Amino acid sequence: MSHLYGRREEEEEGVEVESFEVTDWDLANEFNPDRRRHRQTKEQATYGIWADRDSDEDERPSFGGKKSKDYTAPVNFVSGGLRKTAAEEKQHQQKGEGGSDDSDDDGPSAPPPSRSTAPKKLQMGTFRGSQSQRFAGGIQTGKGIGNWEKHTKGIGQKLLQKMGYQPGKGLGKNAQGIVNPIEAKVRKGKGAVGAYGNERTQQSLQDFPVVDSEEEEEKEFQKELGQWRKDPAGPGGKKKPKYSYRTVDELKAKGKLAGRSIAASAGELAQVKVIDMTGREQKVYYSYSQMSNKHSVPDEGPPSLSTQDQKGSGFALPELEHNLQLLIDLTEQDILQSARRLQHEKDVVVSLSHESRALQSRLNAEQDSIQRMEAVLALVERFPSGEMAPGEGPTLQECARIFETLQTDYYEEYKSMGLADLAVAVVQPLLKEKLRSWDPLKDSSYCLEDIGQWRAILESRDLHSSGPDSNMDPYHRLLWEVWIPVMRSCVSSWQPRIVGPMVDCVDVWAPLVPLWILDHLLEQLILPRLQREVDSWNPLTDTVPIHSWIHPWLPLLQSRLEPLYPPIRSKLSNALQRWHPSDASARLILQPWKDVFTPGAWEAFMVRNIIPKLALCLEELVINPHQQQMEPFHWVMDWESMLSPSSLVSLLDKNFFTKWLQVLCSWLSNSPNYEEITKWYLGWKSMFSDVLLAQPLIKEKFNEALDIMNRAVSSGMGGYMQPGARENIAYLTQTERRKDFQYEAMQERRDAESVAHRGISTGVPTNFKDLIQTKAEENNIVFMPLVAKRHEGKQLYTFGRIVIYIDRGVVFVQGEKTWVPTSLQSLIDMAK
């Protein structure tokens, strides 16, 4: 219903307010609904309400009324708040009053009320002019912006403040938005956008300092526009010919063969006629190759028929052009063929030179190999042969130096020809001659350095022999054929009871002898001799104890001696059949075997042969408080370290405490002297060790004796009682039980400390390697294994700057030519 109302303007707080009253113009418009209406123009469709209106437009006027068109005003879009000067506004207002008389004569419709009725400070000119001074709704530019918010709850300002907006600053995360409103710039004329150059204002240059590239775009546009212009000379003008030059290098790079020969070899597709209509003119090609190369040369190719007609027949010589083109193609083909031949020859030269260098290097290598083989042959010929006299050949040391030279200077020939096997044939006679007069029992270290030197030369790290076979290592074969026969003859004449020299000899040679040869010596030669000697041993007649010549072999033979133990125990059992505990020699003979026999075998031997004899001795013991014979009891208690605590406690319980308690009861029943009883009790208790007193059964028996004495004192048994006897017995009982309690507490505390100590540290080293580790930590020496480094299957270690390995509890240090055993203290001194 807005078209039924007129409008009026009134000033209220500087704001232009629309008035929707019914005017005469509205009544006339309603009574003449069929009045002529104008069709919407193109300008109105483009600019909408901001379009300029014609003076004869017969429609309902808008807020600005129907005003005459001002052709002097600039053509612009929505103004950003510019205001005309007072002179221009006055001139424009006068024109508006003059144009109001020239109203349309279309029916009874009357024009809307003029703006002259509004106050002077609110007269804004025509509607077009007013649009440049205010926004929609009639609010003037820059006045009262945001006043409408006072009629609301202010949600917009609150939302902006919640999102970080601060009044007076720009919007955005970093306050990069503009603060001032968009500033408009008046265009000079009525041209389109960009017709008068750059229209950016000073404010936009400050807010958006971007380089303007419109001039560059204009230049590019003019350049592209010139490419589509027609030839200024016209179709009849004379066109300057273009020449195309091609160098030999370009022709080689292109690498094509022109001419009919190449076109003929291309197959049937090369004869296809191709009409090219992609350009401005129609072109005809006679092969696909010509079409693919049509852009290689500018304006290259035969001219079209229309061009030939336009040029006329002034100087048209097609035969000459054809011949020239043919000559050019042939020349290009010859150049390309020559270039290919030259390249082929160069490739052949490179290949032949490479082959020549390879053959020359191979020839040099062969000559070098021949020279090295001659040198090796010269060294080998120096070895002793069968034709030489016994004293003419080189000595063992010279042979060792020859082999060292072969290994260091001619290692490849030494390995490929297997010269290590030659050492067995060369060195064996010399070494056998040297060891012929050797007695291992008298001089165990004889020839030890020579064998160690040959071990460093001949022993291979790759071969690990385990027996005498064809693939035996040369060093192993040398020892098997030279050293073992000497040791075999020595062991056969050796007396096992003279154990020292043989054990020393084996200990000295063990680091140099391979493991399987050492096992053969111990198991096949020495152990059978020990078995035969044990079989002939008689413990009753032999004056030399058997452990004196068996136990020294324990570090070397270890568990291999197990077959010797049953016959030894059997012979000892036979010898103990007539033994009496008063004879201390049996204990001296058996004591070294306690840690050698297994715990079960030792306990069984004691129960079978010793405990019955001790039980008989205790049964014969007479307990007499007035005249006591203690020798039998001492004989029994001397075996405490040999017997297990359980066996000894059981023996005392059955054969001693029964009689001892009976004597105590009978003594208490005959008016005893309690001081003597107390001394007697403490004397017997002092005969037992702390280990036995800690046993529950022994403790129970002594507590039982205290209880008997307390009952006797309490009941007055025996008649007359000494004064203070009851207090003395009570004090004794309390003292003894306090001692038991303190001993138990101390034992528990000691056990807890030992458990805690084991939890904190590993404690005492369990093997030789742990001992070395402990010593290294004490002396600040680095002790660590070498990765993937072994010697005879043993792990190699670095002890400071020294390389060592451990074999059966012995440390071996790497010397110049061999591994040498050493002590732990010497190793620490060398590392420091």
Side-chain angles (χ1 to χ4, degrees), residues 47 75 77 185-200 212 214-215 218 222:
Y47 299 109
V75 179
F77 295 100
K185 185 176 181 181
V186 180
R187 194 175 293 119
K188 298 178 182 180
K190 299 182 179 181
V193 177
Y196 302 100
N198 189 6
E199 296 185 359
R200 297 185 60 179
D212 196 355
E214 293 183 357
E215 297 180 359
E218 180 65 23
Q222 294 295 338

Side-chain angles (χ1 to χ4, degrees), residues 770-825:
D770 295 339
L771 178 60
I772 296 176
Q773 179 71 31
T774 303
K775 293 295 183 181
E777 293 175 357
E778 292 176 358
N779 294 275
N780 295 325
I781 299 174
V782 177
F783 176 68
M784 60 182 296
L786 294 175
V787 180
K789 297 292 183 180
R790 291 184 175 273
H791 177 73
E792 294 183 353
K794 305 294 190 305
Q795 175 67 49
L796 295 181
Y797 300 87
T798 57
F799 191 86
R801 293 178 294 178
I802 304 173
V803 179
I804 66 171
Y805 76 92
I806 305 170
D807 187 10
R808 293 191 292 272
V810 180
V811 181
F812 294 90
V813 180
Q814 186 179 19
E816 295 180 359
K817 298 179 181 179
T818 183
W819 293 85
V820 181
T822 184
S823 63
L824 184 57
Q825 186 60 39

Side-chain angles (χ1 to χ4, degrees), residues 121-157:
K121 63 178 181 179
L122 293 178
Q123 291 179 2
M124 307 300 292
T126 60
F127 174 74
R128 181 195 56 77
S130 64
Q131 292 301 319
S132 63
Q133 306 297 327
R134 59 181 180 174
F135 297 106
I139 302 175
Q140 294 181 354
T141 305
K143 296 182 180 181
I145 297 178
N147 289 339
W148 51 270
E149 195 176 15
K150 66 185 180 180
H151 302 292
T152 65
K153 296 182 180 180
I155 189 63
Q157 188 71 14

Side-chain angles (χ1 to χ4, degrees), residues 637 640 648 685-694 698 743:
M637 297 306 294
E640 180 181 357
L648 185 58
K685 190 173 183 180
S686 63
M687 303 297 293
F688 291 82
S689 64
D690 294 338
V691 177
L692 285 176
L693 291 176
I698 302 297
Y743 180 80

Side-chain angles (χ1 to χ4, degrees), residues 78-94:
V78 178
S79 178
L82 292 180
R83 192 165 187 173
K84 294 183 180 180
T85 61
E88 291 178 349
E89 188 175 351
K90 184 177 181 180
Q91 183 181 359
H92 183 71
Q93 188 175 4
Q94 291 176 358

Side-chain angles (χ1 to χ4, degrees), residues 13-40:
E13 295 180 359
V15 179
E16 198 172 322
V17 181
E18 295 290 335
S19 178
F20 292 91
E21 297 179 354
V22 180
T23 61
D24 296 336
W25 188 89
D26 294 323
L27 294 175
N29 185 43
E30 290 297 322
F31 287 117
N32 189 12
D34 297 328
R35 66 186 178 89
R36 181 173 60 88
R37 297 180 180 274
H38 295 283
R39 186 178 181 181
Q40 187 181 27

Side-chain angles (χ1 to χ4, degrees), residues 660-711:
W660 186 73
L661 291 176
Q662 290 177 356
V663 171
L664 177 62
C665 291
S666 61
W667 191 5
L668 291 173
S669 61
N670 296 319
S671 301
N673 187 350
Y674 285 96
E675 292 182 359
E676 294 180 359
I677 292 176
T678 302
K679 293 179 181 179
W680 180 78
Y681 171 83
L682 294 175
W684 277 108
K685 190 173 183 180
S686 63
M687 303 297 293
F688 291 82
S689 64
D690 294 338
V691 177
L692 285 176
L693 291 176
Q695 297 296 324
L697 186 59
I698 302 297
K699 190 183 301 184
E700 181 182 353
K701 293 299 180 181
F702 281 106
N703 290 333
E704 185 178 353
L706 290 176
D707 293 340
I708 292 174
M709 288 188 289
N710 285 321
R711 286 198 299 270

Side-chain angles (χ1 to χ4, degrees), residues 470-543:
S470 59
N471 296 326
M472 194 186 308
D473 188 81
Y475 174 71
H476 296 186
R477 182 179 295 277
L478 186 64
L479 289 182
W480 180 257
E481 296 181 358
V482 176
W483 187 77
I484 284 294
V486 178
M487 293 300 299
R488 185 180 290 111
S489 62
C490 179
V491 171
S492 62
S493 61
W494 166 61
Q495 291 297 327
R497 300 192 182 189
I498 306 175
V499 67
M502 183 59 70
V503 171
D504 294 340
C505 179
V506 176
D507 285 337
V508 170
W509 283 90
L512 300 180
V513 178
L515 184 60
W516 67 274
I517 294 180
L518 183 61
D519 293 341
H520 174 79
L521 174 65
L522 296 175
E523 295 176 2
Q524 303 298 328
L525 300 179
I526 294 178
L527 189 60
R529 290 285 296 140
L530 293 176
Q531 287 178 341
R532 288 195 295 270
E533 193 66 21
V534 168
D535 293 339
S536 62
W537 171 67
N538 187 357
L540 298 177
T541 58
D542 289 340
T543 58

